[in-house]
Amino acid sequence: MAALIDAINIKRKSVFEFEGAPYYCMDAEVSTPTARGGQTLVRLKMRNLLTRAVFDKTFKAGDKFPEPDLEYVDATYLYKDGSGAYFMDESTYETVSLTADQYGEALDYLIDNTALQLHKYNGNPIGVVLPVFVELDVVYTEPAVKGDTSSGAVKDAKLETGLIIKVPLFIKEGDKVKVSTESGEFAGRIL
């Protein structure tokens, strides 16, 4: 039997099962009452890992949740077509397909042969876990204008996946940039 997790012990980035579905905790807030006999409450901002829906829910501190049957499997992004995106499970060498609802915005950061992890629930793939940073080529950006060098000045750059991000003025077409998959922001230039 899976271990039980108390609501008071659920922290940011924890996973737990609620009403038969796996959830990811995006934020947790504990409120302790000042009156005697009041119950400690835990307010969770949580994401359903199957439907991707996000909502807030308040639980009593002693409420218990089972640990979900989640696993992370090393995989490689292969390609996308009209019916979904395809990944190779590195442990079994099987091709796994995910629908647009399952991979979400992950393709904004993926080029062929990118290493990542597949998220599986009860043995079935439900989503992807991107690397923290990816390296992508800049395919289009406006040239910097001489004299437009105020500190912190940025411009738009279109990357090879179609994603548009803000980059410093010195970035030009053909440069390879490091992008955070959590924030979608420029994290550096690859020399």
Side-chain angles (χ1 to χ4, degrees), residues 12-189:
R12 188 172 177 269
K13 296 188 176 183
S14 299
V15 289
F16 60 97
E17 193 167 305
F18 175 65
E19 296 179 344
Y23 283 85
Y24 172 82
C25 178
M26 300 170 71
D27 195 27
E29 185 181 308
V30 177
S31 59
T32 308
T34 55
R36 275 193 227 157
Q39 288 203 344
T40 300
L41 299 175
V42 181
R43 185 169 180 253
L44 300 177
K45 182 174 185 179
M46 48 201 242
R47 176 187 305 266
N48 183 316
L49 293 175
L50 299 177
T51 65
R52 316 298 291 164
V54 175
F55 56 92
D56 292 333
K57 188 145 177 74
T58 302
F59 300 98
K60 295 176 187 170
D63 287 349
K64 298 187 182 305
F65 305 99
E67 285 186 359
D69 180 19
L70 286 174
E71 64 178 316
Y72 297 95
V73 178
D74 290 335
T76 303
Y77 171 65
L78 299 175
Y79 64 94
K80 174 189 176 243
D81 67 12
S83 61
Y86 298 87
F87 303 85
M88 182 177 64
D89 182 326
E90 294 292 333
S91 59
T92 63
Y93 299 107
E94 292 179 3
T95 300
V96 176
S97 67
L98 296 177
T99 64
D101 288 339
Q102 292 174 315
Y103 60 73
E105 297 176 5
L107 296 189
D108 288 344
Y109 304 99
L110 297 177
I111 56 172
D112 294 354
N113 299 316
T114 301
L116 49 84
Q117 289 185 316
L118 285 177
H119 211 172
K120 289 188 174 186
Y121 176 61
N122 292 334
N124 298 316
I126 61 169
V128 297
V129 180
L130 295 170
V132 178
F133 296 103
V134 292
E135 297 176 3
L136 299 169
D137 292 328
V138 175
V139 294
Y140 177 78
T141 189
E142 294 289 329
V145 178
K146 189 170 180 117
D148 188 13
T149 56
S150 64
S151 73
V154 293
K155 60 183 179 179
D156 288 340
K158 185 175 182 179
L159 306 180
E160 61 187 305
T161 61
L163 181 66
I164 296 174
I165 65 169
K166 298 283 187 194
V167 297
L169 295 178
F170 61 83
I171 299 294
K172 59 189 183 309
E173 288 180 25
D175 283 353
K176 187 175 278 291
V177 295
K178 186 174 176 181
V179 180
S180 166
T181 58
E182 290 181 1
S183 66
E185 295 177 353
F186 172 82
R189 179 170 69 171

